[in-house]
Amino acid sequence: MSSGPARALVYPLLVTSGTLAVIAGWVPFADLDQVSALAVVGLAVLAYTAYQLGLAFGVFPSGLVATGTVRGRRVRQQYRLVSRSWLEISSGDRMVWQPVFYEPVLSALTPTDLELTGRAIHHGDARFYPSGRVRTTEPTGKLVDNPSRPTDPPVFGIARRLILDVQPAIGAPLVGLLWVYVMSGGLGAFVAATTVAAAAFTWLSAIRGSDPS
C-alpha cells in the first residue's frame, strides 16, 4: 500500500490555497491599512505552512530522535473543537507522542512495529508525515484508541473534513467586530475581516494535521 504526500498532504495544501485565495480576493476592495493587514495574514499563512511542510519532510527536526524499529500505535486526540492523529511510540522505557498528518491507513493501524529512518516514519509501504513536534507528555484532551483488529481504511471526502475543520471559525465574527471597533469601517470591513478570520481558523486546523475519523 502506498502512502505518498499526494494522500497525506493534499488536503491541508488545498485549504492553504483556498485561504490565500480568500485573502487575495479582498485586496482590490481594501484601503492601505487593510491591505497591510491582509499581507501580514497572508505571510503568516505562508510561513507557517512552509514550517509544517519542513517538519513533514524532515527539513526541520520534529524531535523524534530514535532510529530503527520501535513499537507504536495511533491514537486520536479530541480537544475542544480540534482533533489530531498521534503516533504513540515506545522505545525501551521511553514513550513519546508524535502528531502526524491524517492518512487513511492510520484508522486501521493496530499496535505494530514502526520503522524510524532518520526523520521519517514508515509502516510497510506507508509513510507518516509529522505535523508538529514530539511531545514527551500525553497530549491534552480525550485520546481514543484504534481498534484492536484491523479493518479496511475509511475514506473521508474533502466536504466532511472541511465541516470538521471549520468549527473553530465560530469565533470569526468576534474578530470582525474587533476589527471594526479598533480600525473603524462599516459592514464591508466587518464581512471582510470575518471571512478572512474564518478562512484562517479553518486553515490552522488543517495545516496542524486534523483528523476526520
Side-chain angles (χ1 to χ4, degrees), residues 48-203:
Y48 191 65
T49 299
Y51 174 72
Q52 288 294 91
L53 292 177
L55 285 175
F57 290 105
V59 177
F60 306 129
S62 68
L64 191 61
V65 296
T67 57
T69 302
V70 297
R71 196 69 178 171
R73 65 169 184 155
R74 176 258 190 169
V75 292
R76 180 182 185 273
Q77 176 200 24
Q78 184 66 49
Y79 181 60
R80 296 176 180 171
L81 297 178
V82 177
S83 62
R84 301 179 76 185
S85 289
W86 296 73
L87 291 175
E88 186 180 84
I89 299 171
S90 57
S91 178
D93 58 353
R94 183 171 182 256
M95 181 172 290
V96 297
W97 287 263
Q98 170 68 69
V100 292
F101 285 99
Y102 179 76
E103 148 70 51
V105 172
L106 288 168
S107 295
L109 186 69
T110 57
T112 186
D113 289 336
L114 300 172
E115 292 293 331
L116 306 184
T117 55
R119 296 167 184 169
I121 307 170
H122 296 272
H123 172 63
D125 293 333
R127 175 178 176 178
F128 304 121
Y129 294 86
S131 63
R133 291 188 57 79
V134 164
R135 287 179 59 108
T136 56
T137 57
E138 188 175 281
T140 305
K142 181 181 179 181
L143 299 183
V144 182
D145 294 344
N146 258 29
S148 59
R149 297 179 179 179
T151 57
D152 292 332
V155 177
F156 299 106
I158 291 179
R160 173 186 168 87
R161 300 189 70 170
L162 278 175
I163 289 173
L164 294 174
D165 287 344
V166 79
Q167 293 181 63
I170 191 173
L174 296 179
V175 176
L177 289 173
L178 181 63
W179 175 265
V180 171
Y181 177 76
V182 174
M183 302 299 293
S184 73
L187 179 61
F190 170 76
V191 172
T194 299
T195 53
V196 170
F201 286 142
T202 305
W203 159 80

